Amino acid sequence: MAESGKSIVGNIDWLVLLLYLSCVTMGWLNIYAVVYTPEHPMSMFDLSNRSGQQLLWIGTASLLIIAIMVVDHKFYDTFAYVIYGVVILLLVAVLFMAADIKGSRSWIKLGNFSLQPAEFAKLATSLALAKYLGDPTLKLQDWKDYKYVALIIGLPAVLILLSNETGTTLVFASFLIMLYREGLPGIILVIGIVMAALLIVTLLVNKWFVVAAIIVLVALVIWLMPKMARRRGGALTSILFGVGMIITVLGVDFFINDVLQKHQSNRIRVLIDPYSDPQGAGWNVIQSKIAIGSGGLMGKGFLQGTQTKFDFVPEQDTDFIFCTVGEEHGFVGALVVIGLFMGLISRLVILAERQRTRFGRVYGYCVAGIFLFHFLVNIGMTIGFMPVIGIPLPFFSYGGSSLWGFTILLFIFLKIDSQRPFALK
């Protein structure tokens, strides 16, 4: 099931490959900056520290890339459901076999090696969705079709949530971007955005003021609505939408205090005001913003970050790796990293749009959506714009499962795209 090296190399998108190599290299250097100490300098190749271990993961990821590009591209379509089933079994196994690490049961230990199946669930779900939606006769106009899509997305999401990996579970919301491209009504996205905005507004403003504002807004819409639209049920729709918003507002307290776990509700509160718990839930965000702000325009210089060296920010080589970028390389360095991700995601969308098969397009949008979600949320939480939910920055954060998962996810798409000239519509 292998293909010739000439057909692979000749058609691979070199821009995406260059962006990948840039991100991986910069990520590795920033991991070394985190673990480096002037008092005990060490080589970045030393396998006893995380920079050396990350380099080992990068090496094994390179082998995975070669394997992906050699295997026939039809393999990923043919065995999409098999891959999905295997990952589902691993997610179930995690619930029974994994040890509790910081309140999460998400790692399977195989000797000295640890595997996090949740990182590969995003890949498996993307392939399964591409396989199901790849049917050219499927129009996504029947709720029966959405039922199966919801099952494909929801099953791994629920299993990951049961292992107490809330952040990774939320990543599955990124598939809405692909579904919107494939025909999901835009009103569903609008409703989701409105409800999320109401949650934040209700935390900032007295809920009864918000309720009053909704009532006034609905009344104005009905009053200004043309008579024709009113006869067609537009007024009733506006009222029902308003009632839904009011229920959302009144349910915020219950959701935060009785549905979410204590540490999750604390993260939402510190998003509004980090100094409400400066020594607890707000500590990470406060120190993260101090670290990034201290870098100024050009940064303190490579290996010169003081906030990094004294471990003020927890998880600085994983979830908060962007702090190191901001402190040591400043505003300019942060812009470079943001530019790399924006360039990568934009290019992925372009590649997805030019696919000649629906399987390739759906999978490409899944990949782009996942990267966009990780990019926005990870950087957003380090600067206080997003709640701290503990998801990595692709190719920058330390971790073998993370690097492998993102690498496989990306290069399967590059493999599919490399065969685009030979694909039949």
Side-chain angles (χ1 to χ4, degrees):
M1 298 184 71
E3 295 178 352
S4 68
K6 183 177 180 181
S7 65
I8 294 171
V9 175
N11 295 302
I12 192 171
D13 192 87
W14 292 101
L15 177 57
V16 172
L17 180 61
L18 177 62
L19 291 169
Y20 168 80
L21 293 174
S22 300
C23 288
V24 169
T25 302
M26 291 183 66
W28 176 52
L29 292 174
N30 279 281
I31 290 172
Y32 177 63
V34 173
V35 301
Y36 175 85
T37 56
E39 296 80 11
H40 305 285
M42 62 188 77
S43 169
M44 64 176 62
F45 305 102
D46 187 348
L47 294 178
S48 66
N49 66 65
R50 286 197 161 186
S51 66
Q53 294 164 11
Q54 186 72 359
L55 184 60
L56 183 62
W57 293 123
I58 293 171
T60 53
S62 301
L63 297 178
L64 289 173
I65 292 171
I66 294 173
I68 290 168
M69 301 307 288
V70 168
V71 171
D72 192 307
H73 69 287
K74 296 177 182 177
F75 172 88
Y76 307 110
D77 187 342
T78 304
F79 292 96
Y81 289 148
V82 176
I83 295 170
Y84 179 81
V86 170
V87 171
I88 292 297
L89 291 177
L90 288 175
L91 291 175
V92 173
V94 160
L95 299 177
F96 299 97
M97 297 172 55
D100 191 305
I101 301 176
K102 297 182 180 179
S104 172
R105 300 173 64 88
S106 56
W107 296 86
I108 296 178
K109 287 192 68 67
L110 304 171
N112 294 326
F113 175 75
S114 295
L115 181 72
Q116 189 178 19
E119 288 297 332
F120 302 96
K122 293 171 281 190
L123 158 69
T125 305
S126 299
L127 286 172
L129 286 170
K131 177 71 172 180
Y132 179 71
L133 296 174
D135 183 352
T137 64
L138 192 68
K139 301 299 183 183
L140 275 184
Q141 295 175 345
D142 193 324
W143 284 108
K144 175 177 65 69
D145 299 327
Y146 285 109
K147 177 179 66 177
Y148 290 118
V149 169
L151 179 63
I152 292 172
I153 298 173
L155 181 56
V158 169
L159 291 173
I160 293 170
L161 184 63
L162 290 175
S163 68
N164 209 19
E165 279 286 341
T166 309
T168 304
T169 303
L170 292 175
V171 176
F172 283 74
S174 66
F175 292 120
L176 286 172
I177 296 173
M178 175 276 296
L179 290 174
Y180 177 70
R181 170 60 182 84
E182 295 303 316
L184 182 72
I187 187 63
I188 295 179
L189 289 180
V190 172
I191 291 173
I193 293 171
V194 169
M195 296 307 175
L198 281 176
L199 172 64
I200 297 174
V201 170
T202 305
L203 293 173
L204 292 170
V205 182
N206 185 290
K207 63 183 178 183
W208 296 112
F209 284 116
V210 180
V211 169
I214 293 172
I215 294 173
V216 171
L217 179 62
V218 171
L220 285 173
V221 169
I222 295 174
W223 180 58
L224 295 173
M225 189 179 297
K227 293 182 179 180
M228 181 67 71
R230 240 181 291 180
R231 286 199 297 268
R232 292 178 179 176
L236 179 60
T237 301
S238 300
I239 292 172
L240 291 176
F241 190 49
V243 169
M245 290 193 290
I246 291 173
I247 292 174
T248 300
V249 171
L250 296 179
V252 166
D253 287 340
F254 173 77
F255 176 72
I256 291 179
N257 297 322
D258 298 305
V259 176
L260 296 179
Q261 298 179 27
K262 184 177 180 180
H263 71 279
Q264 294 169 336
S265 60
N266 286 340
R267 287 174 179 175
I268 292 179
R269 290 191 178 96
V270 300
L271 173 65
I272 306 303
D273 180 15
Y275 291 93
S276 63
D277 187 13
Q279 298 297 319
W283 174 264
N284 287 15
V285 176
I286 293 171
Q287 297 302 320
S288 173
K289 292 166 73 173
I290 291 173
I292 294 173
S294 68
L297 180 63
M298 302 300 296
K300 298 175 181 176
F302 184 53
L303 305 181
Q304 303 302 312
T306 54
Q307 297 293 117
T308 299
K309 299 298 172 288
F310 295 109
D311 295 326
F312 283 103
V313 184
E315 313 296 341
Q316 194 158 345
D317 56 356
T318 52
D319 299 341
F320 284 87
I321 190 70
F322 189 71
C323 297
T324 307
V325 176
E327 183 181 15
E328 297 198 346
H329 308 288
F331 181 73
V332 173
L335 278 183
V336 170
V337 172
I338 291 172
L340 286 174
F341 277 103
M342 291 182 66
L344 175 62
I345 294 165
S346 299
R347 185 60 181 170
L348 289 176
V349 171
I350 292 172
L351 296 186
E353 281 294 331
R354 77 179 189 181
Q355 296 306 301
R356 301 180 68 180
T357 65
R358 195 174 183 186
F359 178 89
R361 186 179 72 228
V362 170
Y363 183 76
Y365 266 96
C366 287
V367 176
I370 290 169
F371 278 108
L372 178 64
F373 188 95
H374 274 269
F375 161 66
L376 290 178
V377 174
N378 181 276
I379 293 182
M381 72 184 191
T382 63
I383 59 178
F385 283 179
M386 294 282 185
V388 179
I389 62 173
I391 63 173
L393 184 62
F395 311 127
F396 276 75
S397 297
Y398 169 81
S401 293
S402 170
L403 179 62
W404 279 13
F406 287 122
T407 298
I408 297 172
L409 184 74
L410 178 63
F411 277 87
I412 285 179
F413 182 51
L414 284 186
K415 173 63 179 183
I416 294 170
D417 179 69
S418 72
Q419 298 303 305
R420 175 184 51 83
F422 314 108
L424 297 175
K425 289 186 178 180

